[in-house]
Amino acid sequence: FVRSAPAFRILKFSSLFVYLAIGSGILLIVVGKQKANMWFYLLGASLNIMLNLILIPRLGFIGAAVSNVITMLLIISLTFYCVSKKVKISLETTKFRKAIIAGLATLLILFYLKDLNLFISVPIGILLYIALVIFLKGIDMEDIISLVKRKIQ
């Protein structure tokens, strides 16, 4: 298990991207772009397979972890772009920064809780991220109401 620690550290870093991907995927569903979400994940899976074929022979399981991080970055980029086009709002940099800060804080806390069982640390990470985004006012009721109204129309 000790030899897998570097890969696990990279994968814990990618947890920030996973949280963002979950949130942006939900936003795509809210704005009626479920198929786009599916295509983004299909593209991400294809990229992941290609990167694994390239990186794993050279870097081993570290290559697989790096491949995962790159794939999640692609998925997040595509979903954020699609949401911003559909909703026709620009992402406020202050709110986006707050979401990133919440993700980094979650990552840092999870790093110190690295000895916890995965089935305990993942729910803690999700709840912690949501709580931090709300606490930092990275999302407010106006944003939620705006998304819901656009979906109803």
Side-chain angles (χ1 to χ4, degrees):
F1 291 121
V2 174
R3 291 183 48 225
S4 65
F8 191 64
R9 285 189 189 107
I10 293 170
L11 290 173
K12 277 197 169 191
F13 173 73
S14 77
S15 66
L16 164 69
F17 305 124
V18 172
Y19 296 133
L20 290 173
I22 291 169
S24 60
I26 291 170
L27 287 174
L28 278 177
I29 292 168
V30 167
V31 298
K33 290 290 198 176
Q34 296 88 335
K35 283 188 180 180
N37 197 30
M38 177 196 67
W39 286 111
F40 295 156
Y41 274 91
L42 186 61
L43 180 64
S46 301
L47 174 67
N48 194 275
I49 290 168
M50 287 188 297
L51 287 173
N52 281 337
L53 290 172
I54 295 168
L55 296 177
I56 290 175
R58 293 181 182 155
L59 302 174
F61 55 86
I62 299 290
V66 169
S67 171
N68 182 43
V69 172
I70 293 169
T71 300
M72 293 309 301
L73 280 171
L74 171 72
I75 292 170
I76 290 166
S77 300
L78 291 172
T79 53
F80 276 132
Y81 177 77
C82 187
V83 167
S84 68
K85 286 294 195 183
K86 177 70 176 173
V87 180
K88 293 183 177 52
I89 57 170
S90 61
L91 293 173
E92 291 183 36
T93 56
T94 56
K95 288 185 180 184
F96 187 69
R97 274 188 256 146
K98 289 177 183 180
I100 296 294
I101 290 169
L104 290 173
T106 300
L107 176 66
L108 184 64
I109 292 168
L110 286 176
F111 179 76
Y112 285 107
L113 299 176
K114 62 185 170 194
D115 295 330
L116 278 180
N117 182 313
L118 184 64
F119 294 108
I120 295 171
S121 63
V122 168
I124 287 173
I126 292 169
L127 293 173
L128 182 60
Y129 178 75
I130 291 169
L132 285 170
V133 167
I134 291 170
F135 175 75
L136 293 171
K137 297 185 177 151
I139 189 167
D140 54 27
M141 286 307 290
E142 290 177 18
D143 295 332
I144 296 169
I145 291 169
S146 171
L147 287 173
V148 171
K149 280 183 181 177
R150 288 174 195 253
K151 177 61 179 169
I152 293 172
Q153 296 174 349

